[in-house]
Amino acid sequence: MSDASQPSAAEVRAAADAVKAALDRHLEAVERRTGDDDPAVYDAFNALAAAAEAYDERLYDRYDEVTPFEIPGADDSLPPYTGPEEPNALSVLIRRDYAVVEPQRLLAQAQRIADLDPEADDSAKGDRAAAVVGTSVHAALGVLFGEYEPDEIASRHKEFGLEEGDSTLWVSAADELPEPGEWLSTPFDHADPQRVVCRFDVSAVFDEDELEDEDDHAGGS
């Protein structure tokens, strides 16, 4: 960056002062919050994030230095919460992705489960297991997920020849529980990001971003 386009020392100082002021406003909002989803805290958080990002950019442009702040990107954040302040019900939406990296291991595990099925007669157990599983990954997955809870599969996925991909969990607020069977045919069509109370994401991309940030900061120091 040319000297003409670099921020001045005074601009860097002003950006630092803005971060300090935003920190004070955020703390005041937290101290005075009226609930877990107080919009004043949300606004103060966003203002602090924006001030910290501006300071980080000016500091780097002027002095080739960085801060330890990790600023959440707009794509990573949820929209403002518009759900009920006191939810009477909630929905927990979970998605976990897996790659089938060892089909033979998966088939073997499903075969073992089918062979141990207590509802099958001993005389027919072998034929039934072969018919249910065979060489079909589709059938093996049905056996696997019919036998184990999703959390157990998540903790033991390597045993079943699976490799973890991204996963996410959304806790979404509701005014009341839907009628029984109301959403079973389209369980994920009505997920509203503006009613998400909290979410938890796991992805290799986060590790990649951290490594890229470390490389960028090492190069800029």
Side-chain angles (χ1 to χ4, degrees):
M1 180 180 290
S2 67
D3 292 341
S5 59
Q6 281 186 344
S8 66
E11 289 175 320
V12 178
R13 172 62 61 180
D17 290 339
V19 173
K20 297 173 189 177
L23 276 169
D24 288 338
R25 289 197 299 272
H26 183 260
L27 179 57
E28 290 174 2
V30 170
E31 290 173 337
R32 298 175 181 176
R33 67 183 178 186
T34 58
D36 291 340
D37 303 304
D38 191 325
V41 175
Y42 179 86
D43 292 341
F45 173 90
N46 286 338
L48 176 57
E53 184 173 17
Y55 171 61
D56 189 87
E57 290 177 355
R58 285 167 175 75
L59 184 71
Y60 183 80
D61 291 343
R62 177 69 187 184
Y63 299 110
D64 202 27
E65 289 291 343
V66 295
T67 71
F69 304 143
E70 182 178 349
I71 310 302
D75 292 340
D76 299 328
S77 60
L78 289 168
Y81 178 76
T82 61
E85 184 173 343
E86 300 292 337
N88 295 317
L90 59 89
S91 295
V92 179
L93 308 175
I94 300 175
R95 172 172 173 169
R96 296 186 179 117
D97 288 353
Y98 298 96
V100 180
V101 292
E102 296 183 77
Q104 291 307 313
R105 179 182 290 273
L106 172 64
L107 292 169
Q109 290 283 17
Q111 180 75 51
R112 181 183 62 81
I113 295 168
D115 287 343
L116 295 174
D117 185 355
E119 296 182 1
D121 295 333
D122 290 339
S123 60
K125 190 176 291 186
D127 293 339
R128 180 181 181 280
V132 170
V133 180
T135 59
S136 170
V137 170
H138 178 276
L141 289 171
V143 171
L144 179 66
F145 281 86
E147 177 71 14
Y148 296 110
E149 294 289 333
D151 286 345
E152 185 169 3
I153 292 175
S155 65
R156 299 173 56 186
H157 62 277
K158 291 183 179 179
E159 294 180 35
F160 306 127
L162 305 176
E163 181 179 277
E164 286 182 311
D166 288 354
S167 66
T168 188
L169 182 151
W170 290 17
V171 179
S172 180
D175 298 306
E176 58 185 17
L177 283 179
E179 293 295 324
E182 182 178 333
W183 51 258
L184 290 179
S185 61
T186 56
F188 305 111
D189 285 3
H190 304 293
D192 184 353
Q194 290 187 301
R195 283 183 167 248
V196 174
V197 177
C198 57
R199 64 181 289 180
F200 304 93
D201 301 321
V202 176
S203 175
V205 72
F206 299 142
D207 298 331
E208 294 170 2
D209 289 344
E210 289 176 2
L211 290 174
E212 290 175 1
D213 289 342
E214 289 174 2
D215 292 341
D216 291 343
H217 290 176
S221 298

